Amino acid sequence: MTGGTHDAAGSGAGASSAPEPAGTRAADGTGTAHGTAPGTGGSGFHQMWRDLRAIGRHAGSGGYRRYAWTAADTDCRAWFRQEAAARGLAHEVDRNGNQWAWLGDPAQGDAVVTGSHLDSVPDGGAFDGPLGVVSAFAAVDELRARGARPARPLAVVNFGDEEGARFGLACVGSRLTAGQLTPEQARELRDADGVSLPQAMEAAGHDPDAIGADPERLARVGAFVELHIEQGRALDLGDSPVGVASAIWPHGRWRFDFHGQANHAGTTRLEDRHDPMLTYATTVLAARKKARLAGALATFGKVAVEPNGVNAIASLVRGWLDSRAADEDTLAAVVGAIEQAARERGARDGVDVQVTRESFTPVVEFTHELRDRIACLVSGDAPAPVLPTGAGHDAGILSAAVPTAMLFVRNPTGISHSPAESAAEDDCVAGVTALADVLEGLACR
Ligand code: GLV
Ligand code: MN
Ligand code: MN
């Protein structure tokens, strides 16, 4: 493997009260939480969840701030290393900082890999990412409890910097590995304090000169399966705790720079102002309307203002648009219409508008062959439902190079990217069982 490091142990991670899988969905509504299904590795799941849950949790918001290459990220990585060591799995960090825990010899090839990510959005929930990693280790435990004998190598993976919360680009670890982000592009990424990705990597002990495409590694992966909490309510509206992904909507991030003129809030006549906040506000409303009319999604969730003074008209408002749609033509039309609305309003306000596409992820259709096989492997009274998602995932990046599939675990509120994100404990256990079924079906026959 290219540019990786191996080791066998890690430092511990603390525990405190923080979100746990909560409450069963017993059919009679009387079920209590904390049941552990025989052989599911349920107690292992609990222990892992407890060990991980304090890391990077903000006491004020109750949400997670696990940003790439920060101390919280380092602690999450130590946790992963420790879980690998506890199971006798060979741990390695690849050239792009992704962590792998191997059961079997990767050199054999045709490996079955499962996992997700441990980083978070600002004040994110406990499940987006970690559920897939914890469930992956628990599924390995479950396979062992079943006495299953994998004929293919198995690995658990933690992809670095999936959310892009710090450097603005999502899925940096998997994009680099898949060659969808060049080292040159990655080296240009900077956080809000001007720290570059290489500087942050180096400060966290990773060699930034090693980053780059890793086709040799990907060639050894025969299948990748990512389990993830559902980030909507499709499963909750049905009867199934676990579903299978059909597709990921195309999505992207666009930076809108509204350049106006700084001036005195208390003396400048309204007629004389070039106030970028007005242009920005109108653009936010336009985004909502254009998305609604097209059946798409458009969100300004991040904004920066200069000089950011209460008694000063802003000189610059910078807003980041996240937009997603079922198909690429619709997405392009929506973003184009939002951009046009911004420019029209800017012309009225005497504000210059610049739009920069910062990232774009094309539509992902998961291969029918693997998806259908997995839907059959997930045991239940009925075939697992198959559903698309608007959320981005490392699975979407890898799908261009490797047969890839996703499992979703029911989210009773649909809330995600929020401290209120939740999943019922028995649904999490059902997710582990489903993942173990899939791994057994793929690796042991
Ligand atoms: C990641 O969760 C994304 O969809 O942006
Ligand atoms: Mn996310
Ligand atoms: Mn995620």
Side-chain angles (χ1 to χ4, degrees), residues 6-339:
H6 290 256
D7 63 42
S11 66
S16 77
S17 64
E20 287 208 61
T24 55
R25 283 174 57 107
D28 62 1
T30 59
T32 53
H34 309 302
T36 51
T40 59
S43 59
F45 184 98
H46 284 299
Q47 188 57 50
M48 284 188 275
W49 204 258
R50 268 196 293 273
D51 290 345
L52 189 56
R53 67 188 180 181
I55 301 172
R57 186 164 181 259
H58 188 254
S61 69
Y64 287 92
R65 299 182 181 181
R66 294 170 175 162
Y67 309 142
W69 306 110
T70 61
D73 191 40
T74 298
D75 287 348
C76 286
R77 289 165 177 276
W79 171 88
F80 184 98
R81 206 162 60 233
Q82 198 169 40
E83 293 304 323
R87 290 167 176 78
L89 306 178
H91 174 256
E92 62 175 341
V93 180
D94 70 22
R95 60 190 299 175
N96 298 308
N98 308 305
Q99 290 178 288
W100 302 72
W102 287 97
L103 176 64
D105 180 5
Q108 187 188 325
D110 202 25
V112 178
V113 179
T114 183
S116 188
H117 62 96
L118 295 173
D119 68 315
S120 78
V121 296
D123 290 333
F127 295 79
D128 176 358
L131 184 64
V133 181
V134 169
S135 298
F137 280 122
V140 170
D141 295 345
E142 163 70 5
L143 288 188
R144 285 173 159 165
R146 290 179 187 177
R149 293 184 175 279
R152 299 163 68 178
L154 276 179
V156 177
V157 65
N158 166 33
F159 282 111
D161 199 2
E162 192 270 356
E163 297 286 9
R166 182 170 178 191
F167 296 101
L169 178 67
C171 300
V172 169
S174 56
R175 276 186 210 273
L176 278 166
T177 299
Q180 293 179 25
L181 174 69
T182 65
E184 294 72 30
Q185 290 168 326
R187 289 188 185 112
E188 292 302 310
L189 295 172
R190 284 194 157 54
D191 72 8
D193 297 323
V195 177
S196 70
L197 178 66
Q199 287 169 331
M201 279 184 159
E202 197 154 28
H206 187 79
D207 176 10
D209 293 336
I211 62 174
D214 206 344
E216 189 189 328
R217 174 174 297 274
L218 289 183
R220 289 177 173 175
V221 180
F224 174 58
V225 182
E226 179 170 1
L227 177 146
H228 205 280
I229 186 166
E230 197 205 343
Q231 296 170 288
R233 290 194 58 215
L235 291 173
D236 188 58
L237 297 171
D239 266 341
S240 197
V242 177
V244 178
S246 57
I248 298 179
W249 280 16
H251 54 280
R253 298 178 182 187
W254 289 260
R255 197 184 75 229
F256 281 58
D257 292 335
F258 302 94
H259 292 274
Q261 185 181 55
N263 214 330
H264 198 297
T267 58
T268 315
R269 294 187 326 142
L270 295 179
E271 298 82 346
D272 293 340
R273 297 179 179 211
H274 302 287
D275 186 349
M277 196 65 84
L278 285 183
T279 324
Y280 169 68
T282 308
T283 306
V284 173
L285 295 177
R288 170 69 181 228
K289 184 172 173 186
K290 306 296 182 195
R292 178 170 53 76
L293 293 175
L297 299 167
T299 310
F300 279 94
K302 175 174 169 179
V303 62
V305 180
E306 291 178 18
N308 212 17
V310 178
N311 54 357
I313 296 162
S315 59
L316 171 69
V317 175
R318 180 166 279 164
W320 281 264
L321 171 71
D322 176 309
S323 190
R324 311 182 188 217
D327 62 81
E328 291 175 19
D329 288 347
T330 304
L331 179 58
V334 167
V335 174
I338 297 168
E339 192 174 331

